[in-house]
Amino acid sequence: MQRGPAIRLFRVVVGLAGVLLSGGLAAANSPSHVVTLDTLSPLASASELTSRLLSPVTQDRIVKFRQKVDFSLQEQTIALGEEPFELFVPEPDANGKYGLMVFVWPADDIQVPHDWWRVFRDRHIIYVASRRSSNSENIFDRRVPLALHGYEYVRSRYALDPERVYIGGFSGGSRTAQRTAMAYPDVFRGVFLAGGSDALGGKSGFTLPSDTLSRLMQGRTRFVFSTGGNDSPNRSKDARTRKNLEMLCMQGVRQVPQNGVEHWVPDGRGFDRSMDAMERPVQENEHARECYAKLDERIRSQLDEVVTKIAGGNLEEAGDLLARVDALYGGLAGPRSVELSRTIAEKAGVYELQ
């Protein structure tokens, strides 16, 4: 009875081993080179990360906590001169501009599939990836900041087309790329997701940034799902994530099937198809305005329900509902969500940091 799953697991392990081996062999002939981080992005400061990655209620509670204990955050968590990045720079396009793909891998020794370099060359896209941003690293202290520092390294040296700045990742790196893209839709026009994604709200910790940034994301960010056709667990997660994003009125949700691929990234041809989807601007569909209106009404209705529970003295129920609203809708529910959080805390006579 267990033979089927065992065979599938064996195929995944053997396939990944082959990929790693071929990647290692190709590394010697790779057109990329290693550079050392020598500039830090202001986008990765503690204040920026907090305002973009955390929900409004969580941000407010952190402020209150810092006021009570006189605690300050370290503004930058990455030191100059210590972080290696892999960099590939093709020829610029006819206008002297480049696209950019910031990539996040789940392990530091994974090599770029050799046939991806042709895609980057043909599309005039610079590739940059930290070599110390594996799944073992902290997402807030290192993984997201390193992606932003990689962007800043390239931006400060090369003429980028801001409409062609992307981020991508594989497996745990894909989830990091998703979180970064959603926090910085004013920087990244799209995100390439292979073998990993998470819906917003709940335990994932994913939420929406400020109202202004969230509205920008709804109408502009391209979410390109490119998980292997044989990677069933992550395909199921992707389906939930796509449904979640579409419920939040994201207009650029796209799926590029990668038939026959296990838990790994697509080959050059499959990656090229994914980049076709990435480079296609978002066109607002005919149901967009209706979706926005329904979403706004849903948020208002749930916050009204919180008010009703507070008025009835059901502070615990009000707090639980507000926590769910804050986690799922983030900045779209602020600043009213923050005001209600403060009201609950005042009526309860306590201020609890969660």
Side-chain angles (χ1 to χ4, degrees), residues 228-243:
N230 294 348
D231 188 1
S232 298
N234 284 301
R235 285 182 61 200
S236 297
K237 291 179 180 178
D238 283 356
R240 290 194 292 272
T241 303
R242 288 195 301 274
K243 183 177 180 180

Side-chain angles (χ1 to χ4, degrees), residues 35 52-53 69 74 88 137 201 203 223 240 263 270 314 340 345 352:
V35 298
R52 290 170 178 264
L53 291 168
V69 302
Q74 181 181 351
F88 169 69
E137 302 287 353
K203 297 181 180 180
F223 296 88
R240 290 194 292 272
H263 185 56
N314 300 316
L340 290 174
E352 183 180 357

Side-chain angles (χ1 to χ4, degrees), residues 12 99 144 153 168 188 191 222 224 227 281 283 319:
V12 170
V144 173
Y153 182 97
F188 300 104
V191 55
R222 304 134 205 187
V224 180
T227 293
Q283 300 292 328

